[in-house]
Amino acid sequence: MRQGLRLGVDLGGTQVKMALVDHRGRLAAQAAVETVKNPRRLVAAMKAAAQVWFHKRLLGTGVGVAGDIDSARGVVRVSPNLGWRNVPLKKMLKSAGFPQPLFIDNDANAAAWGAFHVELKGKSDDLVVLTLGTGVGGGVVLKGHLLHGVTGSAAELGHMNVDPRGLRCSCGNLGCLETFLGKDYLLASARREWARRGRRWPKGMTPFHLAQIARRGDAAAKAVWARAGSALGVGLGNLINIFNPDTILLCGGIAGASGLLLRSAAPGIRRAFATPRRAARIRVAANTRHLGVVGAALLVE
Amino acid sequence: MRQGLRLGVDLGGTQVKMALVDHRGRLAAQAAVETVKNPRRLVAAMKAAAQVWFHKRLLGTGVGVAGDIDSARGVVRVSPNLGWRNVPLKKMLKSAGFPQPLFIDNDANAAAWGAFHVELKGKSDDLVVLTLGTGVGGGVVLKGHLLHGVTGSAAELGHMNVDPRGLRCSCGNLGCLETFLGKDYLLASARREWARRGRRWPKGMTPFHLAQIARRGDAAAKAVWARAGSALGVGLGNLINIFNPDTILLCGGIAGASGLLLRSAAPGIRRAFATPRRAARIRVAANTRHLGVVGAALLVE
């Protein structure tokens, strides 16, 4: 990674985070704008907030976007969060004067790339990253390279099937890992658990609260995390058998409940073969707050 | 791939196939010996059959073995078929005078490597291979490199979980892809289907016969293949979302029934995201008979 600053952009459904990031992944400056769905207006707003930086000798710009990204051409094929289809983001940012070269990638890939450099300091031969948040994303770094596949769509680990008779996922299918661990699914699962026990569902419940009360011994909350953890375990067992990584890193808001999750994940993890299982450390990212924007910036190598 | 002959060895549970193989994967000579479980005696028998070739200017020796292989050190960690634990096969073959350099790898990795070079003539950026036989093996070739992971245990695709409430697999776990597609599981599934329908189970039934009668319209046989195909579909959908390959290749004896399998696999394949799904060709290997020994030989690049 060359010394110097690059511009990182984490283009989310509600907010665009931007930052100047150095080669070690440290933030030198930050800005944010609200997300508007019109691509032209959004790029204009991003430029207005970031162009104060354009005069610096930046090494380039990296952008992470949730969705199906053609990273080779810099096109957002589909982003359900943004309601975008075939938006030539790279071209638009180039026209707007964003520092070149420009790299566009899936947000979970960017987070995995950031985790590889910042959390693991590049010291992983084969790394699998799960981002646990509203959705469940994935990124895989093999021998120092992001796994992209042939259309840039690889590592959609959240849509690995862990139960063919499971719930319908936002992606249209049944029983994806995301239907057990995505924020809204988790809360829906809790709500059903509360109903089953004839308990009143408290307003404003969040995964954070759900973890708190589970830790204090609440049986319903514990059952919810156990179910989610058990599915996570099946997913982790698969990932160990498939990639034989030295590290699986859990990131994102829900990873804060990893203690609760991993307890129930143990049987699933034990499904993996002994040698790769022993070789795989399962870790929780220490600081996931800026991983998206930092990882995006570090796409500029 | 350099021109010239290499020695390929497919070390199976009942037979050791050996062959001289050229850079295009063509066989120049063949030999076979019966498998004996004692490693010393086996290497001696292999040497007796192959040493007539040792005087030629061979480029090296490649060996495929079923099991958990430490390909970096050339050690067979565990091979259930052979009843081996920590057998330093590379060292033993070297002492016996087998042509150097020597490469030892998992048999499905070797088959995938052979398929990459022979079936696809090296024309695949990201290739996933499933070997459907007694067991279900996997091999993955990304940008021209076999996926090994950190201990050489990667790509155990047959032990991906496709049903957490499924049958117990030989690996000890529940609902692996192998429990739907492995030869013995398939026949056991057929046997249960026959019993359910009050039919007498015919002696000497094989997957080949089972496919024949299914093609002729036998409802019980069709149900068996439909169940297996449906699980295969879940696995293929996962592999498309995980690797985003240009090709998934089905090899091995059971792949002969791929017409029957893929029909029922379609819903599972449709679980994958649209872009990677459209990018992935699912193919059946044209000639899988020698893929193991050829792929092993081509480990010598």
Side-chain angles (χ1 to χ4, degrees):
Chain A
M1 207 53 80
R2 281 174 300 156
Q3 288 205 11
L5 294 175
R6 43 278 267 167
L7 175 54
V9 180
D10 183 2
L11 213 166
T14 55
Q15 207 191 190
V16 184
K17 288 189 211 166
M18 297 185 282
L20 292 186
V21 178
D22 76 3
H23 65 289
R24 288 197 184 150
R26 290 174 300 202
L27 302 193
Q30 292 183 65
V33 298
E34 236 175 82
T35 302
V36 290
K37 303 237 162 164
N38 179 293
R40 264 172 208 282
R41 286 185 45 214
L42 184 63
V43 168
M46 287 163 60
K47 182 182 178 173
Q51 72 180 339
V52 54
W53 299 329
F54 289 2
H55 69 279
K56 297 207 178 171
R57 264 183 275 154
L58 295 186
L59 296 174
T61 305
V63 186
V65 188
D68 179 10
I69 313 303
D70 182 343
S71 53
R73 294 192 304 130
V75 171
V76 178
R77 282 198 202 93
V78 186
S79 175
N81 286 1
L82 299 164
W84 288 6
R85 287 194 87 87
N86 293 316
V87 172
L89 187 59
K90 182 173 171 177
K91 223 165 100 184
M92 294 173 70
L93 292 172
K94 191 173 161 184
S95 303
F98 276 75
Q100 308 223 33
L102 274 151
F103 298 90
I104 320 284
D105 211 324
N106 173 274
D107 61 341
N109 285 353
W113 191 238
F116 172 66
H117 287 288
V118 177
E119 285 278 327
L120 295 160
K121 307 209 182 331
K123 284 179 192 141
S124 167
D125 281 324
D126 296 293
L127 168 68
V128 173
V129 176
L130 283 175
T131 61
L132 309 177
T134 306
V136 175
V140 177
V141 182
L142 303 176
K143 318 291 179 215
H145 296 279
L146 268 174
L147 176 69
H148 275 122
V150 293
T151 64
S153 318
E156 279 293 354
L157 309 181
H159 299 279
M160 176 170 39
N161 191 280
V162 293
D163 185 351
R165 290 177 290 275
L167 294 174
R168 177 83 45 194
C169 181
S170 65
C171 78
N173 301 311
L174 298 176
C176 294
L177 185 56
E178 181 164 310
T179 65
F180 291 90
L181 283 164
K183 189 188 149 210
D184 296 337
Y185 297 100
L186 203 61
L187 290 176
S189 159
R191 212 167 172 143
R192 285 191 303 275
E193 186 67 36
W194 257 243
R196 199 170 314 158
R197 293 165 186 258
R199 282 170 66 177
R200 204 178 57 82
W201 177 247
K203 258 199 172 165
M205 178 70 101
T206 64
F208 182 80
H209 290 129
L210 196 65
Q212 268 190 327
I213 62 173
R215 282 194 204 97
R216 280 196 229 114
D218 185 281
K222 278 164 72 182
V224 173
W225 287 110
R227 210 151 40 227
S230 160
L232 176 63
V234 173
L236 292 174
N238 283 348
L239 292 169
I240 291 171
N241 273 345
I242 291 172
F243 286 109
N244 182 203
D246 52 33
T247 311
I248 298 183
L249 192 72
L250 307 180
C251 305
I254 306 288
S258 56
L260 294 161
L261 287 169
L262 288 176
R263 213 169 303 152
S264 307
I269 296 169
R270 274 197 299 272
R271 285 173 194 252
F273 282 111
T275 303
R277 190 180 68 228
R278 281 188 215 113
R281 278 180 317 168
I282 298 176
R283 275 179 52 166
V284 180
N287 190 350
T288 68
R289 226 179 114 212
H290 299 300
L291 226 42
V293 71
V294 166
L298 295 179
L299 291 172
V300 185
E301 284 190 71
Chain B
M1 208 50 85
R2 281 174 301 157
Q3 289 205 11
L5 294 175
R6 45 278 267 166
L7 174 54
V9 180
D10 183 2
L11 212 168
T14 54
Q15 208 191 187
V16 183
K17 288 189 211 168
M18 296 186 283
L20 292 186
V21 177
D22 76 5
H23 65 290
R24 289 197 183 150
R26 291 174 300 201
L27 303 192
Q30 293 184 63
V33 298
E34 236 175 83
T35 301
V36 291
K37 304 238 161 163
N38 179 294
R40 265 171 206 283
R41 286 184 47 214
L42 184 64
V43 168
M46 286 163 61
K47 181 182 180 172
Q51 71 179 338
V52 55
W53 298 329
F54 288 3
H55 69 279
K56 296 207 178 171
R57 267 185 273 156
L58 295 188
L59 297 175
T61 306
V63 186
V65 189
D68 179 10
I69 312 302
D70 182 343
S71 53
R73 294 191 305 132
V75 171
V76 179
R77 283 199 202 92
V78 186
S79 177
N81 286 2
L82 298 164
W84 288 6
R85 288 194 86 87
N86 293 317
V87 172
L89 186 59
K90 183 173 170 178
K91 222 166 102 184
M92 294 174 72
L93 292 173
K94 192 174 161 183
S95 303
F98 276 74
Q100 308 224 31
L102 274 151
F103 299 90
I104 320 283
D105 211 323
N106 172 274
D107 62 341
N109 284 353
W113 192 238
F116 172 67
H117 287 288
V118 177
E119 285 278 326
L120 294 160
K121 309 212 182 327
K123 284 178 194 144
S124 167
D125 281 323
D126 295 293
L127 168 69
V128 173
V129 176
L130 283 176
T131 60
L132 309 176
T134 305
V136 175
V140 177
V141 182
L142 304 176
K143 317 293 178 214
H145 296 280
L146 266 174
L147 175 70
H148 275 122
V150 293
T151 63
S153 318
E156 280 292 357
L157 310 181
H159 299 279
M160 176 169 38
N161 191 280
V162 293
D163 186 351
R165 290 177 291 275
L167 294 175
R168 177 84 45 195
C169 180
S170 64
C171 77
N173 301 312
L174 299 175
C176 295
L177 186 57
E178 181 163 311
T179 64
F180 290 90
L181 284 163
K183 188 187 149 208
D184 296 337
Y185 298 99
L186 202 62
L187 290 175
S189 159
R191 213 168 172 144
R192 285 191 303 273
E193 187 66 37
W194 258 243
R196 199 169 316 158
R197 293 166 185 257
R199 282 169 66 176
R200 204 178 57 81
W201 177 248
K203 257 200 173 163
M205 177 69 100
T206 65
F208 182 79
H209 290 128
L210 197 64
Q212 268 189 327
I213 62 173
R215 281 193 204 96
R216 280 195 229 115
D218 185 281
K222 277 164 75 180
V224 173
W225 287 109
R227 208 151 39 227
S230 160
L232 176 63
V234 173
L236 293 174
N238 283 347
L239 292 169
I240 290 170
N241 273 345
I242 291 171
F243 286 110
N244 181 204
D246 53 33
T247 311
I248 299 183
L249 192 72
L250 307 179
C251 308
I254 306 288
S258 56
L260 293 161
L261 288 169
L262 288 176
R263 214 169 302 152
S264 307
I269 296 169
R270 274 198 299 271
R271 286 175 194 252
F273 281 109
T275 303
R277 189 180 69 228
R278 282 189 214 113
R281 278 181 317 169
I282 298 176
R283 276 179 52 166
V284 180
N287 190 348
T288 68
R289 225 179 116 211
H290 299 301
L291 225 43
V293 71
V294 166
L298 296 179
L299 292 171
V300 186
E301 285 191 69

